[in-house]
Amino acid sequence: MISDRVKASLKREFYQSRAAQVGLALVVIITLMAVFAPMIAPHDPTTQRVGTGDTAELTDLPPISPVPGHEFVGTREQSIVNETTGEFRNVQVEVPANASHPLGTNERGQDILSRVIYGARVSMLVGILGAALAAIVGVPYGLVAGYFGGRLDDGLMRIGDVMLAFPSLVLAIALIGVFRDSGFHTTDLPDPFVAAAQADAIPNILIPRSGHVATMPEATTFPVTVTLVVALVNWVWFARIARGEALSIRAEEYVTAARGLGASNTTILRQHILPNAITPIIVLATIQVAFIILLEASLSFLGFSGTNLTWGADIQQGRNGLSSGKWWVSTMPGLAIVLAVVGVNLLGDWLRDALDPGIQGESGGV
Amino acid sequence: MQYGRFLLRRVVHSVFVIWGAATVVFMLRFLTPGDPVTALAPPDAGDEVRAALERRLGLDDPIHIQYFDYITDLMVGDFGKSMEVLDRSVLDWIFWTRFLRSVELAISATVVAIVIAIPLGVISARRRHTVSDYSATLFSLGGISTPNFWLGLMLILLIAVPVGFIPTGTPGPLLHEAVGDLLAGDPGTLGDWLRFMLLPAITLGTYFTALLTRLTRSGMLEEIGKAYVKATRAKGLPETLTMYRHVLRNTLIPIVTILGLQLGTLIGGAIITETVFEWNGLGQLLIERINARDWTMIQGIVIIIAIGFVTINTIVDLLYAYLDPRVMDE
Amino acid sequence: MSSDTPDYGFTGSTDGEDGEVLLSVQALKKYFDEGVSLLDRILGGGTNAVRAVDGVSFDVRRGETLGLVGESGCGKSTVGETILRLQEPTAGSVSFEGENLSNRDGLTEFRRNAQILFQDPFSSLDPRMPVGDSIRQPLDIHDWPWDGEGDETERKQQRVEQLMERVGLSADQLDRYPSEFSGGQLQRIGIARALALDPDFIVLDEPTSALDVSVQAQILNLLADLQSEFGLTYLFISHDLGVIRYICDRIVVMYLGEIVETAPAEQLFTDPQHPYTKALLESVPRVDLKERERDIDPLAGDVPSPRNPPSGCRFRTRCPEVIPPADLDIDQAAFRDIMDVRDRVADREIAVEKVRNTVTEEGGQDRPRVADRLYDRLVDNELPPEEREYVREGLQAVAAGDWDRAGEHLRERYESVCETDHPTGQVSCHLVE
Amino acid sequence: MAEPLLRVENLSTRFFTEEGQVNAVEGVSFEVEQGEVFGIVGESGSGKSVTALSLVDLVESPGRVTDGSVWFRKPDLAERIREDDPEAATEAVDGEMVDIRQLDENERRALRGTDFAMIFQDPTSSFNPSITVGTQIAEAVEVQRRAEANPRTLRSRTQGFGLMKFLTTSMVPTVDYVSEESRERAVELLDTVGIPDPAERATEYPYQFSGGMLQRAMIAQALASEPSVLVADEPTTALDVTIQAQILNTMADLQEEYGMTTVLITHNLGVIARMCDQVGVMYAGELVERGTLGDLFERPTHPYTKGLLGSSPSLEDATKRLQPIEGNVPSLLDEEMEDRCYFADRCPKAMEDCLQDPPEFDADGSQHHRAKCYLADHGYESALPEGYFDE
């Protein structure tokens, strides 16, 4: 389906554009992070180490340079009891560096780096699945509306207009409010690497650090409702793009020619309309992945996603510490979101520039 | 004459859309798991109490009657009553200041966006492949990629905390109060207003600014490539005139519609921004009511936001047709 | 490619009235009312339907090339597409080999026998489909080969290669995409696709308009060769009179959705009857040194909107030979002015307000002065005194804002047969009847 | 007449695209006398439109005029340059002629619209769709009015019309760049080109005009400054034949009335026959033959010219089979253009020589009728054996 010309154009644009390279690198890195989280994360992201004594020193650790030999010292607040008066008092105490928490820990003593790595799973999965679902619903809907036109188009697009009457986040929040009490709000997806490492089913060579992997969480909580809802509030965009494309493609003479040859509507939709409409749809899908990652982050920030191992939820968690100097808890997952979304957006720009050179505005004709 | 027809069409269309939106919102009630009566009634309530509650909520009627009632209520501006705090109507909750607060925030963000984005986009397009272009592009890429709740927190961390002023918790005065005081000779309130507005407006406006910059830039580039620009140059019109009188004007016309649709993002963003800055507006209320599982209130707020959004879009479309009469012919 | 064929135009049947009718079009109409939504209907006052084709009848005889000529917007392409059922006709019928096509049963069979070649070679082939697949498409759709012998895939492949070579291209290029070909080559591929099922009849919808003149000549010659080789019948649609003259046996001239003249090619070009045909032929600049001296009197004005075509003869609003009422002695230019004034009164297209304002500014106010001013603006030619007076009376009614009375007043004296009666016949003109 | 009004020498324009360098115009030279119509005819991709754009300095990125000069007779400008900068004048001034390619950006722009006006092929896309036709023509008038009021300051044309002014004019419609006088003049111009009810039409938008009417409006716009040179790029190609006849008649009348010098670009030999005194034939970016209308139609020398004439169907005589030029227009990509006659592989008379060195255009500079072909010198002989290019 991808012609040589398109391939050549993609390649040329990729080699010429630093932005495209950065985008692809970011997306690949983050995807790998999400997939191989148990092998990469230094700690179990869910283990809490709250308490007194030794474990107390593991909470609210600031990030440090992970370079060995450089003893890096941070400070944190600690309550101490005045033994004579029995009063509690907050003091800043120096904390010894701990190279195993390069991004620090949160107030529960969870390792932030590990949480950022695991958070990529939910973000990327919701982003890609949500966009895919939206496309699966929206594209055929729009193609049919645009291709057949007339009353059918009128009716279908009016429904789309109604969907657009709601700002997406407002609709998403309302829908989640409705659905979060239902049974399928979240589901636990078992982690195949951890399962394999625990069962010793696969030779250790295939799972690096299998002893480490075996101690990681056995399942990732996947927010089903959020995925469905983001697809539900975004399918209209796919429908609109697909409709616009179908409308213009059906006026092309090759479509008329195919009808003249006696081709059925399904044949035409499959053989001509879809392949020619696919470019802008792919570009939109990329933009949508970026948008949905942001939407998911907002929903988890508001506490609606049903799992707290996400970037948005972690930002919310670190929010209270901001005013008392614990800046890293919110900053790190936020940076992760920005990098992921920047990566996907750059990828989208690359695709758009490569697949649709007309948009550049400088197609100098002779 | 033709414009009147177009106006009528657009208004009829938006009434239809609002009706559809109201129907969707009405249906939300039936998707809600659990029975509201069970949720509201005391655990030990007898059948009589339950029946009374049901009647009070209007749930004893057949669905089509309920639907009819719902729509007719909306038509006379009755958005329903709270479920949690019975007899308190939606409009009571969304009292004027809350509404104004949200609107002020949204408008300030829009103003920030327009003032920054259009010049930035123009510069970026006209000085293509220069440092200014790259910086503008980088800024807009960052802007559309940053979640605004995080941006808000970072602004608090990097600006508000060091400066020692955290504009959260107690929202500042409303603009009309500030202006009133200013006229009365006291500029202090206006200062407060600005102080409280600054960070939230930047937070909410950044995505919009970035998007608008991108649109202006690519729109200008596309427009510059059109044949009429060549014709304009051929008649000897200086470059600035070509750019502002023709290119920028034509670029902004379609952007107006896109912005109309993107206002949805702005309204959504407002909800988050209000949460971050504990800004006492509509968004805060929505979150609060959702957490209280107060369905009738949620319905009311959602439909009010939808009506506002559709209305703005209609106005934008009418403006568009005024600026570019071709669209009326479609 | 075709250098060894003799130096003659076409071997299809020349003129003559006795050829077997292959395709017959009867009172064909196609109106477009898209864009008139339900809302428009409820609100009323919506625009009329576009009458792209409004009652067209002609026959195409086996083996001939029938030319359909006219300017853009006259409905010639819509005729082509409606005949092939690419558009549903609003009214009228088309029969092919004596069989009426209004029932859909015969359509598959018909689609096998009737093909179309489009104007824009770049848009008539799917840019995402290798050209070989495009040529194969009709074979797949109609389950060729129908005799069922041999290996289907292999035979299709052979057929496609054969077609490609017949139109003068190399079979090696079958797996290339349209973007790798020039316009002329793509048009050859389009011809190969049209020939795939061995049709009897091909609609050629401006097949060379998008091509350069040197390539156009190649394609025209190829079409001519194919016609004699396969005994094809062509309906050749074009706005280019030179091309039409070169390739067609008989010619149908269309104007604003209607046929104005039908004649054998030679006759049409040497002795055109309809004023429109005459004007059309006269307008074409000749490739000739004497061209600069030739005095052309071009048709005035634009084609009226097909949403609201003129009554009677559709050409009357631009016709240089409108027939005045019998009792009126007036030259054509003056009568044309009067007719134009009447059309504008009927459409209420006179800026009375503006004139009234200027008159007021100059200190005048009275209606006659406004009428005088209107008269000066609208009438360029010298009218006989009594006509001048009469028209001015009409304009006074206009100045008073009474459009209906003005229209009625002018109609009484100047009504022409061209606006009341719709002309019919081989040459649709009241002058010829 | 001593000197021509316009003398183009060795003009070359290149496009630097992603696919490579495209030689759109290559070494084109011709002269146009005052009041004459010079026609350039060629097929699509022959570089005729780019030649037109190069004349008025409107080639846009990624294209650039890379070589050659455009000498334009303008005594006052020549005098001024001599006074201002005698050094530059030795290069850029030749008698009364000025090489406009050597002027600076602002000077060149000052010539556009004033001395050079242009008409484009597609009138619908050549007007700004969201501004009324009258205003757009009035703009052209206004530019000239301001330039005349203060000829040496180009800035006066803008009069500080920047972003702020744009914002104010958008909000306050009464403050406008275009003056009332210019608007009135625009209406007069519309009247001149035969648009009925010009005052009314001036307030309409381009989409409310038919193609023919809009082309008239474009001509009106070009006349705004009574230019010395009118460059018309396929002015009737987008129009129907009856409308084409109207427009050509209008153009011929105005040509006579204003004494304009016209460079007319077209692919239609009929239009050439109707309008032109001198004709140049372009092929693959080069001018391959030029001469008077009679030279070209009666005594064509270059095989391409003959081919063009042979492939045009005639309205008078339908019996002759057309003699097409075989093959397709060659690629203009620099890397694919070998140093030889570009027409050779389609030419029925190609010789070995044609493949070695490209023939020179000015084999005999004294003649008015010239062709870039060995046949012009050698006569018809030694065609290549048949099938020479078939591999």
Side-chain angles (χ1 to χ4, degrees):
Chain A
M1 198 139 77
I2 298 174
S3 70
D4 290 346
R5 238 167 86 93
V6 171
K7 272 186 214 149
S9 172
L10 278 171
K11 218 183 265 176
R12 188 176 55 225
E13 197 65 38
F14 184 74
Y15 287 125
Q16 280 178 2
S17 151
R18 182 62 48 83
Q21 296 161 7
V22 171
L24 190 68
L26 281 173
V27 171
V28 166
I29 289 171
I30 289 168
T31 311
L32 290 178
M33 231 164 73
V35 173
F36 298 108
M39 287 155 214
I40 301 167
H43 300 276
D44 181 337
T46 55
T47 308
Q48 301 193 9
R49 282 159 295 189
V50 198
T52 50
D54 287 348
T55 49
E57 294 183 354
L58 291 171
T59 60
D60 286 332
L61 282 177
I64 58 153
S65 156
V67 182
H70 284 264
E71 282 291 284
F72 203 94
V73 177
T75 59
R76 72 186 173 90
E77 215 171 48
Q78 193 169 6
S79 303
I80 48 171
V81 187
N82 184 319
E83 284 177 7
T84 49
T85 60
E87 279 175 351
F88 283 90
R89 187 161 66 91
N90 285 346
V91 292
Q92 297 288 324
V93 293
E94 293 201 334
V95 185
N98 187 335
S100 72
H101 298 291
L103 298 185
T105 60
N106 62 16
E107 60 185 10
R108 294 178 191 147
Q110 294 162 324
D111 178 50
I112 290 181
L113 176 61
S114 303
R115 291 188 71 83
V116 166
I117 291 172
Y118 264 88
R121 287 195 151 181
V122 171
S123 279
M124 295 309 273
L125 206 56
V126 173
I128 292 168
L129 270 183
L133 271 178
I136 287 170
V137 177
V139 171
Y141 187 95
L143 288 183
V144 165
Y147 177 69
F148 290 103
R151 295 273 160 78
L152 181 68
D153 180 32
D154 253 15
L156 289 179
M157 287 335 277
R158 286 304 90 85
I159 295 174
D161 287 347
V162 169
M163 291 302 296
L164 283 175
F166 302 100
S168 51
L169 189 65
V170 173
L171 187 59
I173 290 175
L175 287 173
I176 287 179
V178 168
F179 288 121
R180 70 172 153 180
D181 295 330
S182 58
F184 57 90
H185 186 42
T186 60
T187 184
D188 283 346
L189 299 177
D191 189 322
F193 298 112
V194 178
Q198 284 175 348
D200 251 342
I202 300 171
N204 285 352
I205 286 177
L206 289 182
I207 302 180
R209 307 169 67 200
S210 73
H212 172 77
V213 171
T215 65
M216 298 306 259
E218 287 166 21
T220 311
T221 310
F222 174 70
V224 180
T225 318
V226 168
T227 312
L228 292 176
V229 162
V230 294
L232 196 62
V233 300
N234 282 313
W235 67 270
V236 179
W237 298 103
F238 285 94
R240 282 168 69 104
I241 286 270
R243 169 183 179 265
E245 288 299 310
L247 259 181
S248 68
I249 295 168
R250 75 165 178 166
E252 294 280 344
E253 282 177 349
Y254 56 83
V255 173
T256 320
R259 280 199 292 134
L261 296 170
S264 66
N265 287 328
T266 23
T267 310
I268 292 174
L269 276 167
R270 209 186 51 238
Q271 284 192 356
H272 297 295
I273 309 270
L274 182 62
N276 283 289
I278 203 78
T279 304
I281 292 173
I282 289 174
V283 174
L284 175 72
T286 331
I287 297 168
Q288 282 287 319
V289 169
F291 185 74
I292 289 176
I293 290 176
L294 286 176
L295 193 58
E296 187 277 331
S298 304
L299 291 171
S300 2
F301 175 77
L302 293 173
F304 291 136
S305 91
T307 160
N308 57 20
L309 191 49
T310 69
W311 292 336
D314 276 359
I315 294 174
Q316 173 69 282
Q317 220 220 335
R319 196 179 149 191
N320 295 328
L322 282 179
S323 49
S324 51
K326 292 166 204 151
W327 53 271
W328 58 91
V329 187
S330 279
T331 308
M332 298 305 167
L335 281 175
I337 298 177
V338 174
L339 289 178
V341 179
V342 163
V344 178
N345 274 328
L346 286 175
L347 216 56
D349 288 351
W350 167 46
L351 290 176
R352 194 195 53 209
D353 291 348
L355 302 180
D356 190 7
I359 234 160
Q360 290 271 38
E362 55 171 23
S363 42
V366 181
Chain B
M1 176 200 88
Q2 216 202 348
Y3 193 73
R5 245 183 89 70
F6 180 78
L7 192 137
L8 188 62
R9 280 183 60 144
R10 284 301 290 128
V11 170
V12 172
H13 177 251
S14 55
V15 168
F16 171 85
V17 169
I18 289 173
W19 168 61
T23 309
V24 171
V25 169
F26 176 77
M27 288 190 314
L28 276 184
R29 187 186 297 184
F30 297 96
L31 296 172
T32 315
D35 173 17
V37 176
T38 316
L40 283 177
D44 53 346
D47 282 352
E48 250 171 65
V49 179
R50 294 178 59 90
L53 249 176
E54 202 169 75
R55 207 166 30 251
R56 199 153 176 183
L57 292 171
L59 298 177
D60 52 344
D61 292 325
I63 282 188
H64 64 273
I65 302 284
Q66 286 187 43
Y67 178 67
F68 181 78
D69 285 347
Y70 178 71
I71 298 291
T72 44
D73 282 352
L74 281 186
M75 280 155 85
V76 297
D78 176 1
F79 296 92
K81 292 182 170 59
S82 167
M83 237 165 78
E84 194 193 34
V85 186
L86 284 175
D87 292 334
R88 182 152 187 199
S89 84
V90 171
L91 284 179
D92 279 348
W93 279 76
I94 310 173
F95 43 87
W96 192 228
T97 49
R98 269 194 193 253
F99 183 72
L100 268 191
R101 250 181 238 294
S102 290
V103 170
E104 275 184 14
L105 179 59
I107 291 178
S108 310
T110 313
V111 170
V112 167
I114 289 173
V115 167
I116 298 174
I118 291 176
L120 210 56
V122 172
I123 290 168
S124 191
R126 289 194 61 186
R127 307 196 187 144
R128 237 187 136 186
H129 303 311
T130 62
V131 178
S132 1
D133 181 25
Y134 291 133
S135 330
T137 312
L138 202 65
F139 161 76
S140 56
L141 177 68
I144 59 163
S145 305
T146 307
N148 64 357
F149 56 90
W150 184 70
L151 180 69
L153 292 178
M154 289 298 113
L155 289 176
I156 292 175
L157 176 71
L158 297 173
I159 298 174
V161 173
V163 169
F165 170 74
I166 302 170
T168 59
T170 46
L174 283 163
L175 185 61
H176 66 92
E177 297 164 4
V179 171
D181 282 2
L182 183 70
L183 293 177
D186 172 20
T189 324
L190 189 65
D192 281 348
W193 181 83
L194 272 176
R195 216 150 42 104
F196 276 98
M197 186 58 84
L198 190 66
L199 293 187
I202 292 176
T203 304
L204 182 54
T206 298
Y207 179 87
F208 221 40
T209 313
L211 189 76
L212 191 54
T213 309
R214 279 193 139 204
L215 290 173
T216 310
R217 178 178 184 272
S218 63
M220 287 273 286
L221 289 176
E222 198 185 321
E223 204 66 25
I224 288 172
K226 288 191 177 166
Y228 77 84
V229 178
K230 198 169 269 188
T232 310
R233 287 179 176 147
K235 65 188 183 193
L237 222 57
E239 204 58 18
T240 35
L241 220 55
T242 309
M243 285 299 149
Y244 293 123
R245 249 180 99 84
H246 293 270
V247 175
L248 182 57
R249 191 190 143 96
N250 284 9
T251 305
L252 291 183
I253 291 171
I255 286 181
V256 169
T257 354
I258 303 176
L259 284 190
L261 281 176
Q262 289 292 339
L263 278 179
T265 329
L266 193 76
I267 295 171
I271 295 178
I272 298 268
T273 311
E274 287 182 8
T275 310
V276 171
F277 290 94
E278 289 166 35
W279 189 267
N280 197 11
L282 272 189
Q284 276 274 66
L285 182 68
L286 179 63
I287 304 287
E288 183 193 310
R289 290 295 92 200
I290 283 188
N291 286 331
R293 289 175 167 71
D294 190 347
W295 302 119
T296 43
M297 272 299 293
I298 298 169
Q299 285 179 327
I301 299 169
V302 168
I303 194 71
I304 284 176
I305 292 177
I307 290 172
F309 184 35
V310 171
T311 310
I312 294 170
N313 262 320
T314 309
I315 294 170
V316 165
D317 276 3
L318 293 174
L319 191 71
Y320 186 92
Y322 175 75
L323 290 173
D324 188 354
R326 276 176 304 166
V327 297
M328 291 188 292
D329 263 22
E330 275 162 20
Chain C
M1 165 203 71
S2 56
S3 51
D4 50 356
T5 41
D7 265 14
Y8 286 104
F10 290 86
T11 45
S13 78
T14 48
D15 39 17
E17 302 288 312
D18 47 302
E20 177 204 343
V21 171
L22 180 69
L23 181 118
S24 173
V25 177
Q26 293 302 326
L28 192 69
K29 287 187 182 182
K30 177 65 189 171
Y31 292 0
F32 292 99
D33 54 1
E34 280 169 18
V36 184
S37 67
L38 189 63
L39 191 57
D40 281 313
R41 262 171 231 159
I42 296 169
L43 298 176
T47 42
N48 298 328
V50 171
R51 303 185 184 184
V53 178
D54 207 2
V56 160
S57 308
F58 59 86
D59 291 341
V60 186
R61 302 183 192 127
R62 192 179 283 282
E64 78 169 346
T65 302
L66 180 71
L68 196 54
V69 70
E71 296 178 282
S72 56
C74 73
K76 55 188 189 303
S77 288
T78 311
V79 169
E81 295 193 355
T82 314
I83 287 176
L84 293 184
R85 280 303 172 92
L86 295 171
Q87 317 249 17
E88 281 304 308
T90 307
S93 67
V94 177
S95 47
F96 187 73
E97 293 183 315
E99 201 177 319
N100 196 323
L101 291 173
S102 53
N103 53 343
R104 288 201 143 259
D105 307 338
L107 212 55
T108 317
E109 175 69 24
F110 174 63
R111 292 219 190 284
R112 228 190 263 172
N113 274 318
Q115 296 294 330
I116 186 164
L117 184 64
F118 288 105
Q119 166 174 4
D120 182 358
F122 294 96
S123 119
S124 58
L125 292 165
D126 188 334
R128 305 240 166 184
M129 201 181 249
V131 295
D133 291 4
S134 282
I135 302 178
R136 189 182 294 110
Q137 198 178 29
L139 303 177
D140 289 338
I141 290 169
H142 291 276
D143 291 327
W144 190 90
W146 302 305
D147 56 16
E149 281 169 27
D151 178 62
E152 201 181 292
T153 327
E154 201 175 297
R155 280 192 62 189
K156 278 183 185 167
Q157 184 61 27
Q158 278 173 1
R159 173 87 180 144
V160 171
E161 286 173 7
Q162 207 183 356
L163 287 162
M164 192 78 169
E165 274 161 10
R166 179 61 196 87
V167 296
L169 295 169
S170 155
D172 309 341
Q173 298 170 317
L174 282 173
D175 49 1
R176 299 204 186 160
Y177 287 87
S179 57
E180 298 170 62
F181 293 91
S182 71
Q185 290 171 323
L186 288 178
Q187 207 58 315
R188 289 171 191 268
I189 293 163
I191 294 173
R193 177 175 61 183
L195 289 176
L197 296 169
D198 236 335
D200 293 329
F201 174 65
I202 303 183
V203 172
L204 303 163
D205 187 357
E206 305 251 17
T208 60
S209 303
L211 305 177
D212 278 319
V213 58
S214 66
V215 180
Q216 161 174 298
Q218 295 170 10
I219 297 294
L220 289 178
N221 284 351
L222 175 65
L223 287 171
D225 295 342
L226 293 171
Q227 181 170 45
S228 53
E229 188 176 331
F230 299 109
L232 295 167
T233 305
Y234 289 152
L235 176 65
F236 195 102
I237 300 170
S238 179
H239 67 275
D240 186 324
L241 288 152
V243 171
I244 284 279
R245 163 122 224 222
Y246 178 64
I247 200 167
C248 297
D249 305 312
R250 276 192 319 132
I251 294 165
V252 171
V253 183
M254 281 186 75
Y255 180 79
L256 204 54
E258 292 185 344
I259 292 177
V260 295
E261 184 166 358
T262 310
E266 194 56 28
Q267 190 184 323
L268 188 97
F269 278 88
T270 49
D271 185 21
Q273 297 294 307
H274 197 284
Y276 176 67
T277 315
K278 289 181 197 164
L280 194 63
L281 292 182
E282 199 188 334
S283 304
V284 184
R286 269 64 162 173
V287 185
D288 190 314
L289 275 185
K290 293 188 286 287
E291 173 65 12
R292 292 196 78 167
E293 279 73 53
R294 196 166 63 92
D295 204 14
I296 301 180
D297 198 8
L299 283 179
D302 279 318
V303 184
S305 161
R307 286 184 192 277
N308 200 4
S311 63
C313 172
R314 293 200 170 167
F315 186 54
R316 69 172 167 84
T317 55
R318 300 171 77 197
C319 183
E321 298 175 54
V322 194
I323 306 165
D327 53 344
L328 203 65
D329 181 27
I330 188 168
D331 70 47
Q332 182 60 223
F335 191 60
R336 163 59 48 214
D337 271 1
I338 295 175
M339 291 306 274
D340 286 348
V341 170
R342 290 190 50 210
D343 284 339
R344 296 180 67 169
V345 170
D347 296 340
R348 313 204 160 179
E349 261 187 7
I350 301 174
V352 189
E353 270 319 303
K354 256 188 197 152
V355 174
R356 193 175 293 140
N357 289 343
T358 27
V359 170
T360 316
E361 266 170 39
E362 288 159 11
Q365 186 101 70
D366 49 337
R367 213 172 281 158
R369 288 186 62 170
V370 176
D372 283 354
R373 189 61 61 90
L374 284 175
Y375 183 90
D376 291 345
R377 284 182 67 160
L378 296 171
V379 182
D380 293 331
N381 289 287
E382 186 76 14
L383 299 191
E386 65 269 34
E387 309 307 333
R388 193 183 313 152
E389 213 31 62
Y390 195 84
V391 171
R392 203 166 278 165
E393 278 166 29
L395 289 173
Q396 287 201 22
V398 171
D402 192 346
W403 296 92
D404 290 337
R405 193 163 60 82
E408 186 57 29
H409 174 81
L410 292 170
R411 192 179 65 80
E412 237 164 61
R413 188 174 174 99
Y414 299 116
E415 186 166 71
S416 157
V417 61
C418 296
E419 67 188 278
T420 51
D421 295 350
H422 192 281
T424 50
Q426 285 290 91
V427 181
S428 309
C429 180
H430 293 298
L431 288 171
V432 180
E433 274 161 7
Chain D
M1 196 156 290
E3 282 177 324
L5 183 72
L6 194 66
R7 191 171 76 224
V8 178
E9 279 174 4
N10 200 28
L11 192 69
S12 295
T13 303
R14 307 264 179 270
F15 282 80
F16 302 93
T17 67
E18 286 180 355
E19 282 81 26
Q21 177 186 329
V22 177
N23 300 340
V25 176
E26 212 179 328
V28 164
S29 308
F30 60 87
E31 292 173 358
V32 191
E33 305 285 344
Q34 167 88 44
E36 225 178 37
V37 181
F38 184 80
I40 299 181
V41 65
E43 297 181 288
S44 57
S46 63
K48 56 189 190 305
S49 286
V50 181
T51 305
L53 293 174
S54 304
L55 287 182
V56 287
D57 192 31
L58 279 177
V59 179
E60 278 160 21
S61 169
R64 195 150 44 81
V65 181
T66 51
D67 197 14
S69 24
V70 179
W71 295 95
F72 174 57
R73 182 154 47 96
K74 186 161 175 142
D76 53 340
L77 183 63
E79 197 52 42
R80 213 183 75 214
I81 294 175
R82 268 198 208 94
E83 278 170 20
D84 289 357
D85 187 357
E87 208 163 301
T90 56
E91 288 279 307
V93 178
D94 175 14
E96 294 187 337
M97 306 286 279
V98 179
D99 180 8
I100 57 179
R101 288 254 310 122
Q102 294 185 42
L103 301 177
D104 70 33
E105 169 79 38
N106 282 337
E107 296 267 14
R108 272 182 290 165
R109 184 171 57 232
L111 292 172
R112 283 208 298 267
T114 324
D115 294 291
F116 288 81
M118 186 149 181
I119 311 175
F120 295 91
Q121 168 174 355
D122 182 5
T124 33
S125 67
S126 297
F127 275 97
N128 184 341
S130 61
I131 297 182
T132 60
V133 172
T135 307
Q136 297 192 51
I137 297 171
E139 266 179 5
V141 178
E142 183 73 28
V143 171
Q144 301 317 321
R145 244 173 37 88
R146 291 182 187 228
E148 268 163 42
N150 197 352
R152 300 205 64 165
T153 352
L154 290 154
R155 187 153 173 78
S156 68
R157 293 174 160 211
T158 324
Q159 224 182 38
F161 199 94
L163 184 59
M164 275 323 289
K165 190 91 174 213
F166 166 75
L167 290 173
T168 47
T169 49
S170 317
M171 283 171 231
V172 190
T174 48
V175 188
D176 199 355
Y177 172 75
V178 177
S179 66
E180 208 45 51
E181 294 88 57
S182 299
R183 284 182 194 280
E184 278 162 23
R185 174 82 185 119
V187 173
E188 283 170 36
L189 285 166
L190 284 173
D191 196 33
T192 313
V193 296
I195 289 184
D197 219 348
E200 191 65 24
R201 298 312 298 264
T203 62
E204 290 180 359
Y205 289 88
Y207 76 98
Q208 291 164 300
F209 277 59
S210 67
M213 283 298 149
L214 213 50
Q215 193 58 287
R216 284 175 189 275
M218 183 128 74
I219 295 172
Q221 181 169 286
L223 292 178
S225 61
E226 304 190 4
S228 349
V229 180
L230 176 69
V231 180
D233 183 8
E234 302 259 14
T236 59
T237 304
L239 306 175
D240 273 320
V241 51
T242 55
I243 308 295
Q244 166 171 288
Q246 292 175 6
I247 297 288
L248 291 181
N249 269 12
T250 306
M251 282 181 68
D253 292 348
L254 293 169
Q255 159 86 20
E256 206 157 300
E257 192 181 331
Y258 289 81
M260 264 179 314
T261 306
T262 305
V263 178
L264 175 70
I265 314 286
T266 180
H267 68 277
N268 187 331
L269 285 166
V271 173
I272 289 281
R274 183 150 189 84
M275 303 292 290
C276 300
D277 305 296
Q278 300 279 329
V279 188
V281 180
M282 280 193 83
Y283 183 79
E286 294 182 326
L287 207 58
V288 294
E289 181 164 5
R290 70 167 226 251
T292 62
L293 197 62
D295 290 337
L296 263 90
F297 278 24
E298 307 267 278
R299 301 171 289 281
T301 305
H302 200 287
Y304 177 66
T305 313
K306 291 180 185 170
L308 270 189
L309 290 164
S311 14
S312 311
S314 156
L315 216 52
E316 263 76 37
D317 178 14
T319 52
K320 241 175 39 203
R321 191 178 164 94
L322 296 177
Q323 299 295 329
I325 308 168
E326 297 300 330
N328 295 293
V329 179
S331 155
L332 296 180
L333 270 179
D334 188 56
E335 58 201 50
E336 288 170 24
M337 292 180 95
E338 290 166 45
D339 194 20
R340 58 167 167 142
C341 173
Y342 301 141
F343 188 61
D345 50 2
R346 296 177 78 185
C347 181
K349 310 276 184 197
M351 301 175 283
E352 289 286 356
D353 280 358
C354 307
L355 306 178
Q356 309 305 330
D357 302 300
E360 289 300 312
F361 190 61
D362 285 349
D364 182 354
S366 64
Q367 282 177 340
H368 217 50
H369 180 191
R370 297 170 193 171
K372 195 167 193 168
C373 181
Y374 284 120
L375 293 178
D377 307 329
H378 298 199
Y380 297 82
E381 57 193 40
S382 71
L384 285 174
E386 205 151 306
Y388 190 88
F389 291 104
D390 283 358
E391 72 280 356

